[in-house]
Amino acid sequence: ETGVTQTPRHLVMGMTNKKSLKCEQHLGHNAMYWYKQSAKKPLELMFVYSLEERVENNSVPSRFSPECPNSSHLFLHLHTLQPEDSALYLCASSQVGTGGKNIQYFGAGTRLSVL
Amino acid sequence: GDSVTQMEGPVTLSEEAFLTINCTYTATGYPSLFWYVQYPGEGLQLLLKATKADDKGSNKGFEATYRKETTSFHLEKGSVQVSDSAVYFCALISTGANNLFFGTGTRLTVIP
């Protein structure tokens, strides 16, 4: 148990569906991240929220929409996805800024399959 | 830009064998270096870290030394166990940055 909880663990959706991934961290951190892990590719950073402000958006298609309502919760809203979006989506959190070590702690991930 | 190059796998070893997984990096300044491990069906767990040159990170019998002169952070373990079977990721983060840069991962299988 790393202190970062992701739900659901598995998700199957059609290309016309709308769904959301949820991440919750219990570590008191002030930054949260979404990563995409595809087979045979390095982990891709998608979004970074620091102090609830989005500070990074790595050219992610608009069919992925993040939301960070507070420092403990992070969502990834999905709509009209493509089959190539099938992957493991990982959430992470860290403490950044003065005194923070910026060590990222990861959740177990949501395995997404787009049909 | 920052990047990590990691030894490609898969790696298959017998129990109690010596393990080395190579990792080299490119970065401006003085990054912090990490090894993460991903067990089947799970997310990434921090295995060890080093934040400055010549630091040695260690955990669960694994070690890695931050070598600035060779820009390397090779992972080693003297005697692997079946339970060490997992995918290992080398990563770096530059000072003040948000991005963790990961290698492609090395799958290790340890057979009894």
Side-chain angles (χ1 to χ4, degrees):
Chain A
E1 175 58 50
T2 64
V4 181
T5 304
Q6 288 187 244
T7 54
R9 292 294 307 274
H10 302 274
L11 178 63
V12 179
M13 59 187 289
M15 290 193 286
T16 58
N17 291 158
K18 289 185 180 180
K19 297 286 185 184
S20 295
L21 310 185
K22 179 182 176 182
C23 177
E24 183 174 2
Q25 59 97 1
H26 310 275
L27 301 169
H29 288 162
N30 59 9
M32 296 186 77
Y33 310 77
W34 279 117
Y35 287 87
K36 177 182 179 183
Q37 185 179 27
S38 305
K40 301 188 189 302
K41 293 174 70 174
L43 270 78
E44 302 171 55
L45 179 66
M46 300 175 72
F47 301 105
V48 180
Y49 277 82
S50 178
L51 301 172
E52 299 161 39
E53 299 273 336
R54 192 192 310 181
V55 296
E56 194 97 23
N57 175 349
N58 272 2
S59 303
V60 179
S62 59
R63 57 186 183 269
F64 295 91
S65 174
E67 178 190 3
C68 186
N70 55 62
S71 60
S72 299
H73 293 87
L74 183 66
F75 295 89
L76 188 63
H77 303 301
L78 316 171
H79 65 97
T80 59
L81 294 192
Q82 304 298 310
E84 61 264 28
D85 297 322
S86 299
L88 181 67
Y89 288 85
L90 291 165
C91 173
S93 72
S94 72
Q95 183 67 21
V96 300
T98 304
K101 298 181 180 179
N102 205 3
I103 297 172
Q104 294 185 20
Y105 294 85
F106 286 79
T110 295
R111 174 70 62 188
L112 174 67
S113 298
V114 181
L115 304 179
Chain B
D2 295 350
S3 67
V4 175
T5 302
Q6 191 174 338
M7 169 179 159
E8 289 201 19
V11 174
T12 302
L13 295 173
S14 297
E15 208 165 20
E16 299 183 3
F18 184 85
L19 168 71
T20 300
I21 300 177
N22 290 339
C23 172
T24 56
Y25 67 89
T26 302
T28 52
Y30 303 95
S32 294
L33 303 174
F34 307 86
W35 277 100
Y36 281 83
V37 58
Q38 186 175 31
Y39 297 103
E42 299 184 16
L44 275 68
Q45 299 177 26
L46 180 64
L47 180 61
L48 54 84
K49 65 176 175 63
T51 57
K52 61 182 187 296
D54 300 324
D55 266 2
K56 177 185 284 187
S58 61
N59 185 25
K60 300 182 181 179
F62 291 89
E63 293 183 339
T65 301
Y66 188 142
R67 301 282 188 205
K68 185 169 181 296
E69 63 277 13
T70 55
T71 60
S72 65
F73 193 54
H74 305 321
L75 182 69
E76 296 182 336
K77 186 173 185 181
S79 175
V80 293
Q81 306 300 312
V82 173
S83 57
D84 293 326
S85 298
V87 182
Y88 293 82
F89 293 89
C90 185
L92 73 81
I93 190 165
S94 292
T95 304
N98 296 313
N99 294 27
L100 255 182
F101 288 88
F102 285 89
T104 52
T106 302
R107 180 175 299 278
L108 169 67
T109 302
V110 181
I111 54 177

